[in-house]
Amino acid sequence: FRSLRFVLLISWNCPNMETKGGSSSSSAPASDDGECIICFESLDSRGGAVPLPCQCKVAYCAQCWDRSLAASVTACGSALCPSCRSSMQVEFDPNSGQLTFSQSPAQGVAGDSQDWRKRLYEQAKPVQIQLLQEYGAKSNVEVPADTTGSAAVENGEASESGADPGSSSRQAMDTEEKLPRCVCGSRLTCTTVRNRVLTFVAEETPVPVSGPELEFLMARPPIICDICSRQVSASGAVWTCENGRRTVLHAVSYDVCEACFDYHAFGIERQCDSDDSDEDFEEEISDIESSEEGTDELHGELEAE
């Protein structure tokens, strides 16, 4: 029932849906029972209700409000209030490590949404770098200069066999509590780029991907490091947040390439294998020709995962 309630609320985020009786901002009922309207947990146990920047009287806990805005960004490209559908602008306070929200003056403008999302990533970047530095300082692991922080991953074999792909760089960091932290509060885990691409395909492509398209994606992974803004190498590994896109802080996931991880965590400077930026990748992928070959193979790989 909770999941259904959440889905129904998120469905309001689609901007082309009509509402009866005009805006709900003035008619939304206040929560008298002290519970989050989505998860039904006590607001006291969840840190209290989020102060909403709009005029809604609905009570949300911080986690559900964040998740609702993230789902809206994924579905519509804008962070919309799940009650009144007002457009929200999100900021990250590096001092408190908390998200702050305000009502966007430009309702429904795609460019404005892109601007605050880019600004949000830039605001979070110094904090993520600091978290990697703290992780490296606490690990007390000496990484040889001729190996990468995820050297245990060789052609994807380590991760696919169930071994920890980052074990060579964090021998003493073998428990969940000691994994590096993402800026959102969740954990960064190391996986092969191949597995990361398969996850991307499963989440981001509404139609089956053809064999040539999958081959291209494996050779030129559509994964951009959120620290250096470069495309990750196809042959290595990548650190990705377990929280995925379930937070508006990184509504399209959060990834750190090997070079950035090794440099900021262990002070080892390496040359990036890829010199392509996000814009370069988008130009190349637009030239791929559609084909039906290899679709069954892709579905088999996704089911195996």
Side-chain angles (χ1 to χ4, degrees):
F1 180 73
R2 291 185 183 182
S3 298
L4 178 60
R5 183 72 170 263
F6 180 77
V7 170
L8 290 175
L9 284 171
I10 294 304
S11 67
W12 280 52
N13 283 329
C14 185
N16 61 1
M17 291 184 65
E18 297 293 335
T19 57
K20 297 181 179 180
S23 173
S24 61
S25 59
S26 61
S27 59
S31 177
D32 297 327
D33 54 4
E35 293 181 347
C36 172
I37 193 174
I38 294 179
C39 67
F40 303 112
E41 297 290 341
S42 170
L43 290 172
D44 289 337
S45 66
R46 308 281 283 182
V50 174
L52 302 182
C54 54
Q55 299 300 314
C56 293
K57 305 301 180 181
V58 181
Y60 298 95
C61 68
Q63 293 87 342
C64 289
W65 172 254
D66 182 16
R67 186 181 174 190
S68 299
L69 295 186
S72 174
V73 172
T74 300
C76 306
S78 299
L80 306 179
C81 171
S83 303
C84 69
R85 298 180 297 159
S86 297
S87 181
M88 298 296 160
Q89 183 167 300
V90 188
E91 304 279 349
F92 180 77
D93 183 354
N95 296 320
S96 64
Q98 300 293 322
L99 293 171
T100 60
F101 308 94
S102 60
Q103 197 162 357
S104 176
Q107 297 287 330
V109 178
D112 181 73
S113 175
Q114 292 296 327
D115 288 342
W116 70 253
R117 287 169 62 185
K118 291 181 180 179
R119 183 170 61 252
L120 189 62
Y121 272 73
E122 289 301 316
Q123 292 170 344
K125 184 186 297 186
V127 178
Q128 183 60 67
I129 291 175
Q130 182 179 355
L131 290 173
L132 292 178
Q133 293 171 342
E134 293 174 355
Y135 165 81
K138 292 179 181 179
S139 66
N140 296 320
V141 175
E142 294 185 1
V143 183
D146 59 344
T147 62
T148 65
S150 304
V153 180
E154 297 179 358
N155 299 323
E157 296 176 359
S159 179
E160 293 173 358
S161 63
D164 182 0
S167 58
S168 66
S169 70
R170 48 188 177 86
Q171 308 163 22
M173 313 294 282
D174 56 356
T175 63
E176 293 183 352
E177 293 77 9
K178 294 181 179 180
L179 287 175
R181 291 286 173 179
C182 175
V183 66
C184 74
S186 187
R187 302 171 301 184
L188 294 176
T189 57
C190 192
T191 185
T192 63
V193 173
R194 177 181 179 81
N195 288 345
R196 181 67 184 88
V197 170
L198 290 176
T199 300
F200 171 88
V201 170
E203 292 178 345
E204 303 293 341
T205 56
V207 296
V209 177
S210 67
E213 290 172 332
L214 178 60
E215 183 179 353
F216 178 86
L217 292 175
M218 289 299 181
R220 302 295 304 275
I223 311 301
I224 303 299
C225 174
D226 288 303
I227 292 182
C228 67
S229 300
R230 293 187 178 276
Q231 186 179 346
V232 302
S233 170
S235 60
V238 62
W239 292 82
T240 187
C241 179
E242 290 184 336
N243 208 15
R245 50 186 182 180
R246 291 185 291 272
T247 171
V248 74
L249 181 58
H250 50 77
V252 288
S253 191
Y254 200 92
D255 300 285
V256 179
C257 68
E258 285 185 295
C260 285
F261 185 89
D262 287 341
Y263 177 73
H264 294 293
F266 302 109
I268 300 176
E269 188 171 0
R270 308 182 190 281
Q271 183 177 2
C272 295
D273 294 334
S274 174
D275 293 328
D276 296 321
S277 64
D278 197 359
E279 291 79 6
D280 296 328
F281 175 79
E282 291 179 353
E283 291 179 1
E284 292 193 15
I285 199 171
S286 63
D287 297 330
I288 302 176
E289 294 184 356
S290 300
S291 173
E292 296 299 326
E293 299 177 3
T295 301
D296 293 338
E297 177 183 351
L298 171 62
H299 285 305
E301 292 196 50
L302 293 177
E303 291 177 358
E305 293 297 323

XYZ file of all heavy atoms in Angstrom, residues 174-259:
655
model
N 37.063 -3.806 4.182
C 36.291 -4.916 3.646
C 34.931 -5.062 4.296
O 34.282 -6.081 4.150
C 37.079 -6.220 3.806
C 37.474 -6.469 5.265
O 37.195 -5.587 6.104
O 38.053 -7.531 5.555
N 34.475 -4.070 5.017
C 33.154 -4.130 5.618
C 32.300 -3.018 5.051
O 32.806 -2.010 4.549
C 33.217 -3.986 7.156
O 33.737 -2.697 7.475
C 34.107 -5.070 7.755
N 30.987 -3.169 5.130
C 30.070 -2.182 4.577
C 30.255 -0.820 5.228
O 30.148 0.208 4.582
C 28.631 -2.664 4.745
C 28.294 -3.897 3.918
C 26.841 -4.286 4.054
O 26.169 -3.677 4.905
O 26.392 -5.180 3.315
N 30.552 -0.811 6.540
C 30.696 0.448 7.242
C 31.912 1.228 6.766
O 31.992 2.439 6.932
C 30.802 0.196 8.751
C 29.532 -0.343 9.396
C 29.314 -1.827 9.128
O 30.253 -2.465 8.583
O 28.228 -2.339 9.440
N 32.893 0.530 6.179
C 34.138 1.180 5.791
C 34.219 1.492 4.305
O 35.257 1.911 3.817
C 35.320 0.294 6.200
C 35.471 0.151 7.704
C 36.672 -0.714 8.059
C 36.831 -0.836 9.567
N 37.999 -1.675 9.925
N 33.147 1.268 3.572
C 33.134 1.642 2.166
C 33.130 3.164 2.048
O 32.616 3.862 2.922
C 31.907 1.062 1.465
C 31.904 -0.441 1.190
C 30.557 -0.863 0.608
C 33.025 -0.828 0.247
N 33.705 3.705 0.972
C 33.693 5.163 0.801
C 32.264 5.683 0.693
O 31.386 5.021 0.156
C 34.473 5.375 -0.514
C 34.404 4.057 -1.215
C 34.375 3.017 -0.146
N 32.065 6.887 1.168
C 30.739 7.479 1.208
C 30.514 8.410 0.022
O 31.420 9.090 -0.434
C 30.548 8.265 2.507
C 30.479 7.389 3.742
C 29.166 6.668 3.828
N 29.132 5.693 4.919
C 28.093 4.951 5.204
N 26.980 5.071 4.497
N 28.130 4.081 6.184
N 29.283 8.414 -0.428
C 28.861 9.377 -1.442
C 28.420 10.651 -0.733
O 28.054 10.640 0.446
C 27.725 8.800 -2.273
S 27.017 9.965 -3.485
N 28.408 11.749 -1.444
C 28.000 13.021 -0.876
C 26.546 12.991 -0.410
O 26.148 13.766 0.469
C 28.235 14.151 -1.900
C 27.323 13.972 -3.101
C 28.049 15.514 -1.270
N 25.734 12.077 -0.967
C 24.331 11.994 -0.566
C 24.151 11.249 0.751
O 23.047 11.226 1.305
C 23.506 11.310 -1.658
S 23.733 9.525 -1.787
N 25.217 10.623 1.271
C 25.126 9.878 2.522
C 25.128 8.382 2.332
O 25.299 7.631 3.295
N 24.923 7.924 1.106
C 24.971 6.501 0.817
C 26.417 6.070 0.585
O 27.353 6.813 0.878
C 24.090 6.179 -0.395
O 23.994 4.788 -0.590
N 26.624 4.858 0.039
C 27.966 4.327 -0.145
C 28.332 4.239 -1.625
O 27.469 4.028 -2.477
C 28.079 2.929 0.470
C 27.756 2.869 1.948
C 27.684 1.439 2.428
N 26.667 0.681 1.688
C 26.341 -0.570 1.962
N 26.940 -1.204 2.940
N 25.426 -1.188 1.248
N 29.621 4.396 -1.904
C 30.142 4.161 -3.241
C 30.656 2.730 -3.321
O 31.405 2.282 -2.454
C 31.290 5.123 -3.555
C 30.959 6.618 -3.670
C 32.235 7.416 -3.888
C 29.962 6.880 -4.792
N 30.247 2.004 -4.334
C 30.724 0.641 -4.532
C 31.402 0.553 -5.893
O 31.032 1.238 -6.834
C 29.577 -0.384 -4.470
O 28.580 -0.052 -5.463
C 28.933 -0.376 -3.092
N 32.397 -0.323 -5.976
C 33.173 -0.471 -7.197
C 32.606 -1.607 -8.042
O 32.331 -2.701 -7.535
C 34.632 -0.753 -6.843
S 35.750 -0.610 -8.234
N 32.420 -1.344 -9.321
C 31.903 -2.347 -10.238
C 32.598 -2.200 -11.577
O 33.239 -1.177 -11.851
C 30.377 -2.207 -10.413
O 29.878 -3.278 -11.231
C 30.025 -0.889 -11.081
N 32.506 -3.205 -12.426
C 33.085 -3.090 -13.752
C 32.279 -2.113 -14.589
O 31.073 -1.928 -14.383
C 33.104 -4.458 -14.463
O 31.756 -4.920 -14.637
C 33.881 -5.482 -13.662
N 32.941 -1.484 -15.529
C 32.248 -0.563 -16.419
C 31.203 -1.309 -17.237
O 30.125 -0.775 -17.525
C 33.254 0.160 -17.335
C 32.531 0.987 -18.389
C 34.170 1.053 -16.514
N 31.493 -2.560 -17.587
C 30.527 -3.362 -18.342
C 29.219 -3.507 -17.567
O 28.129 -3.297 -18.106
C 31.113 -4.738 -18.647
C 30.134 -5.666 -19.361
C 30.757 -7.037 -19.620
N 29.814 -7.925 -20.270
C 29.545 -7.943 -21.573
N 30.172 -7.091 -22.368
N 28.673 -8.776 -22.086
N 29.312 -3.872 -16.302
C 28.104 -4.014 -15.485
C 27.392 -2.677 -15.308
O 26.157 -2.617 -15.282
C 28.445 -4.601 -14.127
C 28.806 -6.069 -14.200
O 28.556 -6.734 -15.199
N 29.418 -6.577 -13.148
N 28.177 -1.602 -15.207
C 27.574 -0.279 -15.055
C 26.809 0.107 -16.324
O 25.738 0.715 -16.248
C 28.675 0.740 -14.756
C 28.167 2.162 -14.562
C 27.326 2.280 -13.288
N 26.768 3.618 -13.170
C 25.600 4.000 -13.701
N 24.860 3.134 -14.376
N 25.177 5.246 -13.543
N 27.352 -0.253 -17.490
C 26.668 0.038 -18.743
C 25.367 -0.750 -18.845
O 24.338 -0.236 -19.279
C 27.580 -0.260 -19.953
C 26.790 -0.196 -21.259
C 28.740 0.718 -19.994
N 25.395 -2.031 -18.436
C 24.177 -2.841 -18.473
C 23.102 -2.249 -17.558
O 21.911 -2.240 -17.907
C 24.490 -4.281 -18.054
C 25.319 -5.103 -19.053
C 25.648 -6.471 -18.461
C 24.596 -5.252 -20.381
N 23.513 -1.744 -16.405
C 22.560 -1.083 -15.514
C 22.002 0.171 -16.160
O 20.804 0.454 -16.081
C 23.232 -0.727 -14.183
O 23.719 -1.922 -13.556
C 22.253 -0.042 -13.239
N 22.872 0.920 -16.813
C 22.433 2.133 -17.508
C 21.406 1.803 -18.581
O 20.381 2.474 -18.707
C 23.644 2.828 -18.135
C 23.299 3.968 -19.052
C 23.135 5.244 -18.549
C 23.134 3.767 -20.412
C 22.809 6.302 -19.382
C 22.801 4.811 -21.258
C 22.640 6.089 -20.744
N 21.675 0.759 -19.362
C 20.758 0.370 -20.433
C 19.401 -0.029 -19.860
O 18.345 0.327 -20.377
C 21.365 -0.776 -21.264
C 20.328 -1.347 -22.228
C 22.582 -0.284 -22.037
N 19.426 -0.798 -18.763
C 18.182 -1.263 -18.154
C 17.351 -0.100 -17.614
O 16.121 -0.127 -17.661
C 18.482 -2.257 -17.043
N 18.022 0.947 -17.102
C 17.316 2.063 -16.477
C 16.915 3.155 -17.464
O 15.866 3.781 -17.300
C 18.190 2.690 -15.386
C 18.423 1.795 -14.190
C 19.334 2.449 -13.169
O 19.998 3.458 -13.512
O 19.394 1.960 -12.031
N 17.730 3.388 -18.466
C 17.576 4.587 -19.279
C 16.963 4.361 -20.657
O 16.555 5.323 -21.302
C 18.940 5.273 -19.462
C 19.633 5.637 -18.160
C 18.901 6.725 -17.396
O 18.089 7.429 -18.020
O 19.139 6.856 -16.186
N 16.945 3.124 -21.165
C 16.456 2.915 -22.528
C 15.037 2.366 -22.505
O 14.805 1.259 -22.025
C 17.372 1.941 -23.287
O 17.480 0.715 -22.561
C 18.754 2.535 -23.442
N 14.056 3.103 -23.024
C 12.660 2.647 -23.007
C 12.376 1.543 -24.016
O 11.372 0.853 -23.916
C 11.871 3.923 -23.347
C 12.827 4.751 -24.145
C 14.193 4.447 -23.599
N 13.246 1.392 -25.019
C 13.056 0.356 -26.041
C 14.281 -0.538 -26.052
O 15.366 -0.133 -25.614
C 12.842 0.980 -27.434
C 11.564 1.791 -27.464
C 14.031 1.842 -27.838
N 14.158 -1.788 -26.538
C 15.306 -2.689 -26.587
C 16.464 -2.094 -27.388
O 16.264 -1.402 -28.383
C 14.743 -3.944 -27.269
C 13.268 -3.894 -26.996
C 12.908 -2.442 -26.996
N 17.674 -2.374 -26.931
C 18.875 -1.877 -27.586
C 19.391 -2.929 -28.554
O 19.476 -4.113 -28.213
C 19.956 -1.533 -26.543
C 21.235 -1.084 -27.220
C 19.453 -0.445 -25.606
N 19.737 -2.518 -29.751
C 20.216 -3.452 -30.762
C 21.659 -3.864 -30.477
O 22.356 -3.240 -29.675
C 20.127 -2.813 -32.151
O 21.044 -1.735 -32.250
N 22.100 -4.908 -31.173
C 23.468 -5.399 -31.002
C 24.521 -4.350 -31.293
O 25.435 -4.137 -30.474
N 24.463 -3.663 -32.448
C 25.452 -2.618 -32.731
C 25.437 -1.474 -31.717
O 26.473 -0.939 -31.363
C 25.037 -2.123 -34.125
C 24.357 -3.299 -34.747
C 23.622 -3.973 -33.623
N 24.258 -1.130 -31.254
C 24.165 -0.063 -30.250
C 24.813 -0.499 -28.944
O 25.539 0.272 -28.311
C 22.707 0.310 -30.022
C 22.065 1.041 -31.189
C 20.576 1.230 -31.012
O 19.943 0.408 -30.322
O 20.035 2.192 -31.585
N 24.557 -1.747 -28.530
C 25.157 -2.241 -27.300
C 26.671 -2.318 -27.432
O 27.404 -1.968 -26.500
C 24.583 -3.615 -26.953
C 25.171 -4.289 -25.693
C 24.930 -3.422 -24.471
C 24.578 -5.676 -25.494
N 27.137 -2.756 -28.583
C 28.583 -2.841 -28.820
C 29.225 -1.463 -28.726
O 30.308 -1.302 -28.162
C 28.839 -3.460 -30.193
C 30.320 -3.653 -30.515
C 30.535 -4.284 -31.874
O 29.540 -4.699 -32.503
O 31.708 -4.364 -32.304
N 28.534 -0.465 -29.272
C 29.049 0.898 -29.194
C 29.083 1.386 -27.750
O 30.058 2.012 -27.309
C 28.187 1.831 -30.043
C 28.619 3.277 -29.970
C 29.608 3.762 -30.793
C 28.022 4.143 -29.058
C 30.013 5.092 -30.722
C 28.417 5.459 -28.970
C 29.418 5.941 -29.814
N 28.025 1.109 -27.000
C 27.967 1.553 -25.614
C 29.045 0.892 -24.765
O 29.584 1.510 -23.845
C 26.581 1.248 -25.031
C 25.414 2.058 -25.598
C 24.095 1.576 -25.018
C 25.592 3.542 -25.341
N 29.353 -0.364 -25.048
C 30.410 -1.045 -24.308
C 31.788 -0.468 -24.651
O 32.663 -0.363 -23.784
C 30.384 -2.545 -24.613
C 29.195 -3.273 -24.016
S 29.193 -3.152 -22.199
C 27.716 -4.107 -21.805
N 31.973 -0.099 -25.927
C 33.253 0.465 -26.347
C 33.407 1.922 -25.911
O 34.508 2.378 -25.592
C 33.393 0.368 -27.863
N 32.289 2.659 -25.889
C 32.282 4.058 -25.463
C 31.222 4.222 -24.386
O 30.100 4.666 -24.652
C 31.974 4.970 -26.661
C 32.933 4.831 -27.828
C 34.326 5.287 -27.451
N 34.315 6.659 -26.956
C 34.364 7.722 -27.754
N 34.406 7.580 -29.061
N 34.380 8.933 -27.247
N 31.524 3.853 -23.148
C 30.511 3.833 -22.084
C 29.841 5.195 -21.887
O 30.534 6.220 -21.835
C 31.315 3.431 -20.843
C 32.525 2.743 -21.376
C 32.849 3.436 -22.653
N 28.522 5.214 -21.770
C 27.804 6.472 -21.543
C 27.823 6.888 -20.074
O 26.839 7.380 -19.539
C 26.381 6.131 -22.009
C 26.236 4.692 -21.672
C 27.590 4.069 -21.911
N 28.946 6.661 -19.419
C 29.093 6.953 -17.995
C 30.105 8.077 -17.845
O 31.254 7.954 -18.277
C 29.557 5.708 -17.208
C 28.697 4.489 -17.559
C 29.533 5.990 -15.709
C 27.226 4.665 -17.278
N 29.685 9.170 -17.234
C 30.528 10.341 -17.062
C 30.918 10.478 -15.589
O 30.068 10.396 -14.705
C 29.805 11.618 -17.528
C 29.359 11.475 -18.991
C 30.707 12.837 -17.367
C 30.475 11.263 -19.965
N 32.213 10.662 -15.345
C 32.667 10.889 -13.972
C 32.137 12.232 -13.486
O 32.269 13.251 -14.169
C 34.202 10.868 -13.927
S 34.887 11.305 -12.303
N 31.545 12.239 -12.310
C 30.944 13.462 -11.787
C 31.943 14.348 -11.065
O 31.562 15.383 -10.509
C 29.787 13.102 -10.851
C 28.590 12.564 -11.618
O 28.108 13.277 -12.510
O 28.165 11.428 -11.348
N 33.219 13.977 -11.106
C 34.264 14.830 -10.554
C 35.046 15.517 -11.670
O 35.202 16.731 -11.682
C 35.205 14.037 -9.634
C 34.453 13.612 -8.361
C 36.431 14.882 -9.250
C 35.291 12.877 -7.358
N 35.537 14.736 -12.651
C 36.315 15.320 -13.747
C 35.485 15.586 -14.994
O 35.982 16.185 -15.949
C 37.496 14.422 -14.090
S 37.046 12.817 -14.812
N 34.231 15.114 -15.011
C 33.303 15.314 -16.138
C 33.797 14.673 -17.422
O 33.473 15.132 -18.522
C 33.052 16.815 -16.378
O 32.486 17.414 -15.235
N 34.567 13.594 -17.306
C 35.030 12.870 -18.473
C 34.402 11.490 -18.528
O 34.016 10.927 -17.507
C 36.557 12.748 -18.480
C 37.282 14.077 -18.657
C 38.772 13.887 -18.824
N 39.453 15.153 -19.031
C 39.573 15.753 -20.198
N 39.045 15.191 -21.278
N 40.195 16.906 -20.312
N 34.340 10.968 -19.738
C 33.790 9.631 -19.952
C 34.733 8.592 -19.370
O 35.953 8.694 -19.505
C 33.620 9.419 -21.461
C 32.927 8.133 -21.856
C 32.790 8.036 -23.369
O 32.974 9.018 -24.069
N 32.474 6.866 -23.848
N 34.193 7.579 -18.673
C 35.033 6.563 -18.051
C 35.602 5.625 -19.108
O 35.047 5.476 -20.198
C 34.244 5.750 -16.996
C 33.680 6.669 -15.920
C 33.131 4.932 -17.660
N 36.705 4.978 -18.749
C 37.346 4.036 -19.660
C 36.536 2.760 -19.762
O 35.968 2.277 -18.778
C 38.764 3.715 -19.171
O 39.327 2.640 -19.884
N 36.506 2.165 -20.951
C 35.701 0.956 -21.173
C 36.297 -0.266 -20.503
O 35.583 -1.230 -20.206
C 35.546 0.705 -22.668
N 37.603 -0.260 -20.232
C 38.271 -1.466 -19.757
C 38.446 -1.530 -18.244
O 38.911 -2.538 -17.722
C 39.657 -1.571 -20.413
O 40.453 -0.436 -20.085
N 38.087 -0.497 -17.536
C 38.368 -0.467 -16.115
C 37.157 -0.680 -15.237
O 36.248 -1.448 -15.556
N 37.166 0.032 -14.131
C 36.083 -0.052 -13.160
C 35.604 1.355 -12.846
O 36.231 2.347 -13.228
C 36.542 -0.754 -11.891
N 34.492 1.444 -12.145
C 33.933 2.738 -11.780
C 33.295 2.612 -10.410
O 32.753 1.561 -10.050
C 32.897 3.210 -12.833
C 31.729 2.255 -12.917
C 32.410 4.623 -12.534
N 33.414 3.664 -9.631
C 32.756 3.722 -8.321
C 31.422 4.423 -8.501
O 31.362 5.550 -9.011
C 33.631 4.478 -7.324
C 34.886 3.743 -6.974
C 36.053 3.709 -7.688
C 35.092 2.926 -5.826
N 36.973 2.914 -7.051
C 36.417 2.426 -5.903
C 34.302 2.563 -4.743
C 36.952 1.588 -4.938
C 34.837 1.726 -3.765
C 36.144 1.253 -3.878
N 30.356 3.775 -8.108
C 29.019 4.326 -8.307
C 28.228 4.294 -7.011
O 28.424 3.404 -6.174
C 28.279 3.549 -9.417
O 27.034 4.191 -9.708
C 28.024 2.118 -9.001
N 27.354 5.257 -6.833
C 26.581 5.359 -5.590
C 25.474 4.318 -5.558
O 24.745 4.131 -6.536
C 25.986 6.757 -5.456
S 24.985 6.984 -3.963
N 25.344 3.641 -4.420
C 24.290 2.640 -4.258
C 22.897 3.267 -4.288
O 21.913 2.588 -4.570
C 24.483 1.879 -2.949
C 25.672 0.943 -2.929
C 25.767 0.145 -1.651
O 25.224 0.600 -0.614
O 26.378 -0.934 -1.672
N 22.830 4.546 -4.002
C 21.542 5.238 -3.969
C 20.984 5.480 -5.368
O 19.820 5.853 -5.518
C 21.677 6.565 -3.220
C 20.389 7.003 -2.565
O 19.446 6.216 -2.414
N 20.336 8.258 -2.159
N 21.829 5.265 -6.384
C 21.375 5.426 -7.759
C 20.821 6.816 -8.010
O 21.433 7.823 -7.679
N 19.634 6.869 -8.580
C 18.991 8.151 -8.878
C 17.813 8.411 -7.953
O 16.856 9.086 -8.330
C 18.537 8.180 -10.328
C 17.724 6.977 -10.756
C 17.427 7.015 -12.238
N 16.613 5.890 -12.672
C 16.226 5.701 -13.919
N 16.561 6.560 -14.843
N 15.489 4.658 -14.238
N 17.884 7.871 -6.743
C 16.782 8.026 -5.784
C 16.942 9.260 -4.907
O 16.318 9.356 -3.854
C 16.656 6.764 -4.929
C 16.174 5.544 -5.693
C 15.954 4.354 -4.783
N 17.185 3.838 -4.255
C 17.942 2.919 -4.865
N 17.578 2.452 -6.042
N 19.057 2.480 -4.325
N 17.798 10.172 -5.300
C 17.927 11.442 -4.597
C 18.069 12.544 -5.629
O 18.720 12.362 -6.666
C 19.143 11.460 -3.647
O 19.342 12.798 -3.151
C 20.411 10.993 -4.349
N 17.459 13.685 -5.372
C 17.527 14.785 -6.314
C 18.935 15.380 -6.355
O 19.293 16.095 -7.288
C 16.482 15.870 -5.953
C 16.920 16.659 -4.719
C 16.210 16.793 -7.133
N 19.766 15.064 -5.360
C 21.149 15.519 -5.361
C 21.885 14.990 -6.581
O 22.700 15.676 -7.186
C 21.856 15.078 -4.082
C 23.318 15.502 -3.930
C 23.449 17.017 -4.010
C 23.890 14.983 -2.615
N 21.610 13.730 -6.940
C 22.104 13.177 -8.211
C 21.003 12.306 -8.799
O 21.007 11.101 -8.685
C 23.432 12.422 -8.054
C 23.471 11.399 -6.971
N 22.881 10.156 -7.083
C 24.048 11.401 -5.744
C 23.103 9.444 -5.998
N 23.799 10.176 -5.166
N 20.065 12.952 -9.460
C 18.879 12.271 -9.987
C 19.193 11.395 -11.192
O 18.316 10.678 -11.674
C 17.798 13.285 -10.358
N 20.417 11.461 -11.700
C 20.839 10.578 -12.793
C 22.074 9.790 -12.369
O 22.981 9.563 -13.135
C 21.126 11.375 -14.078
C 19.840 11.871 -14.700
C 22.064 12.544 -13.814
N 22.089 9.360 -11.132
C 23.155 8.547 -10.554
C 24.400 9.396 -10.290
O 24.459 10.582 -10.596
C 23.499 7.347 -11.440
O 24.333 6.454 -10.744
N 25.403 8.741 -9.662
C 26.649 9.431 -9.325
C 27.795 8.458 -9.519
O 27.798 7.375 -8.938
C 26.624 9.947 -7.883
C 27.628 11.039 -7.619
C 27.275 12.379 -7.768
C 28.943 10.741 -7.246
C 28.192 13.393 -7.538
C 29.864 11.745 -7.023
C 29.486 13.077 -7.168
O 30.398 14.084 -6.955
N 28.781 8.832 -10.334
C 29.885 7.949 -10.674
C 31.213 8.670 -10.508
O 31.329 9.869 -10.783
C 29.752 7.448 -12.115
C 28.465 6.664 -12.342
O 28.398 5.512 -11.896
O 27.530 7.213 -12.961
N 32.222 7.907 -10.073
C 33.580 8.425 -9.933
C 34.514 7.477 -10.666
O 34.516 6.265 -10.396
C 33.999 8.546 -8.452
C 35.432 9.064 -8.346
C 33.047 9.455 -7.685
N 35.297 8.011 -11.600
C 36.206 7.171 -12.375
C 37.381 6.727 -11.519
O 37.644 7.269 -10.448
C 36.689 7.916 -13.618
S 37.781 9.319 -13.275
N 38.130 5.740 -12.015
C 39.284 5.219 -11.290
C 40.346 6.283 -11.055
O 40.936 6.360 -9.976
C 39.904 4.057 -12.068
C 39.127 2.768 -11.996
C 39.875 1.643 -12.686
O 40.060 1.708 -13.912
O 40.286 0.696 -11.981
N 40.607 7.088 -12.089
C 41.665 8.086 -11.977
C 41.360 9.091 -10.871
O 42.235 9.426 -10.058
C 41.852 8.800 -13.319
